[in-house]
Amino acid sequence: MSPKILIVDDDRDLVASLAQVLKGNGYDVAVAHSGADGLKALRTERPDLVVLDVMMETDTAGFEVADVIRSRRETSKYREFRDVPIVILTAIDQVTNSRFSMDQSDSFLPGTNEFMTKPVDIDELLAKIGHALK
C-alpha cells in the first residue's frame, strides 16, 4: 500500500499541483483547505505524513494544528497521530521576515520534521518526504 500524505493548505492551486506531483510519485493523497478541516481529515484519512501550511484561517493556524497533533495530553483526540511526520510549507518568512530553526532547542516550533519556505522546490520536497517516511 502506498503511503498517504495529507496536504493542508488554503491555496487550492498549490494543493492541486502538489497532489498531482505526489500522486505521480506513487503517494496516495488527501487534502484539506483549512486547519480545522485538516484536523478532521487527520482522523478520517489517517495519513502517514502531513504537509502543512502555516498561514491559513489565521497567521499561525498551521503551527496551532501541529501543536494539537503533537500534544502529549492523554485527553487529546489526536494522540494516536503524535508521531506522524509533519512537513511545514510556508511563505511566513517572506511576510514577517522571520527565520525559523529546526533545532528544537533553539525553536518554538511544535515538533515538525521538516520546514520549507515557498516557493517549494519539488525535488527537495520529495526528498524530505521520503526521508521523513523512513
Side-chain angles (χ1 to χ4, degrees):
M1 183 180 339
S2 300
K4 183 180 281 188
I5 298 174
L6 172 61
I7 304 169
V8 184
D9 196 313
D10 61 347
D11 182 336
R12 291 178 183 270
D13 292 334
L14 176 66
V15 169
S17 296
L18 286 179
Q20 183 176 5
V21 168
L22 292 172
K23 287 176 183 176
N25 280 273
Y27 295 105
D28 287 334
V29 177
V31 302
H33 299 288
S34 70
D37 288 343
L39 287 172
K40 289 176 190 170
L42 184 70
R43 294 180 71 197
T44 59
E45 298 291 339
R46 310 185 68 72
D48 299 295
L49 181 138
V50 177
V51 174
L52 181 61
D53 184 26
V54 172
M55 296 185 301
M56 292 181 285
E57 307 93 309
T58 67
D59 287 348
T60 59
F63 290 146
E64 293 161 13
V65 168
D67 192 49
V68 167
I69 294 170
R70 292 291 187 251
S71 173
R72 292 295 175 195
R73 290 188 326 256
E74 286 306 314
T75 57
S76 171
K77 59 185 174 182
Y78 305 100
R79 64 183 172 273
E80 67 186 288
F81 304 103
R82 287 179 185 151
D83 297 321
V84 169
I86 299 173
V87 176
I88 297 271
L89 300 183
T90 190
I92 194 171
D93 63 323
Q94 296 165 13
V95 174
T96 66
N97 292 319
S98 299
R99 297 290 179 256
F100 299 100
S101 170
M102 286 304 298
D103 178 355
Q104 291 298 315
S105 65
D106 186 36
S107 178
F108 68 90
L109 296 176
T112 56
N113 297 80
E114 297 288 346
F115 188 90
M116 298 181 66
T117 58
K118 294 177 181 177
V120 174
D121 177 280
I122 293 298
D123 291 330
E124 183 181 358
L125 175 61
L126 289 170
K128 288 185 182 226
I129 287 172
H131 181 263
L133 287 171
K134 286 184 182 180

